[in-house]
Amino acid sequence: MKNRTGEPIIRVTNLAKSFGDNEVLSDINGEIYRGEVVCVIGPSGSGKSTLLRCINMLETPTSGTIVVDGHEMTDPDVDIDAARTRIGMVFQSFNLFSHLSVRENLTVAQRHVLRRSKAEANRVAEHTLERVGLSEKIDAAPSSLSGGQQQRVAIARALSMNPDVMLFDEPTSALDPELVGDVLKVMRSLADEGMTMVVVTHEMAFARDVADRVLFMADGVVVEEGPAAEVIGDPEQARTREFLHRVL
Ligand code: ADP
Ligand code: MG
């Protein structure tokens, strides 16, 4: 368990989210501390993506508060674009700008959101591409890359903004099996470097090896949470056992 002193980088309090009559998240509470890697597991439809999307306000919570690095995301007066730059998000579907080169994908938000100079944005882009092992692809078009390479570019793009925390939503679920390993390797190295990460994943080996904590969600609530060895290795709740029985 990491050193959990000071203020958490993310604090979620009494979070609920409904779409119409469908309550998708109910009374979620929790903290994530600097340097922690938290994996979120659970069946499809349990609210994992909605939870991540509420953390960076891609979805507006129905009630509750979300504080990221001291900024209350749910405060209507907060500068949400500024607050969001602290949070890197990686989606299942990469979401690269297909009409832009890898370099442009990595520099456009640095230039326009962080107001970095062209030279500085390029320097950061080169450095982050190196971190994901794709230096030689800087002038490539996304469409010329494999899915695994595109996802690593998407990770580099998020890292280029110097986020305090990275949120990953099933980053390997859309990949051919032989491409999953390279993406997980990059994520593992980020974790080793001390990046704070929340990872929704079905990769149980990754969760077991890399996560400081695992949350098991079902039907919009956190059913069980704790060290990976407990939640995955020796779960307390019947629902967790059933789920793991199906996926392991
Ligand atoms: P998970 O990521 O665990 O598979 P989601 O958070 O994507 O679960 O979805 C949880 C529930 O919320 C599902 O029932 C889904 O249909 C519903 N849902 C998610 N996004 C929307 C939306 N934008 N509008 C309406 N319902 C949604
Ligand atoms: Mg999802």
Side-chain angles (χ1 to χ4, degrees), residues 17 27 70 75 83 98 100 132 137 162 169 196-199 207 214-215 223:
K17 174 67 181 174
D27 201 24
D75 177 347
S98 56
L100 300 180
V132 304
K137 299 294 186 189
N162 294 104
D169 194 358
T196 311
M197 298 166 51
V198 182
V199 184
V214 173
L215 308 189
V223 172

Side-chain angles (χ1 to χ4, degrees), residues 73-94:
M73 305 292 280
T74 33
D75 177 347
D77 294 329
V78 82
D79 179 349
I80 194 67
D81 293 326
R84 230 181 238 146
T85 64
R86 298 165 185 284
I87 306 173
M89 178 98 183
V90 174
F91 301 88
Q92 181 174 333
S93 53
F94 329 142

Side-chain angles (χ1 to χ4, degrees), residues 19-20 22-25 42-51 53 59 169-170 200 202 217:
F19 294 105
N22 186 12
E23 188 170 58
V24 167
L25 296 174
S44 174
S46 55
K48 306 180 298 297
S49 295
T50 304
L51 174 60
R53 293 168 63 80
E59 298 287 356
D169 194 358
E170 298 197 32
V200 174
H202 293 293
M217 284 183 70

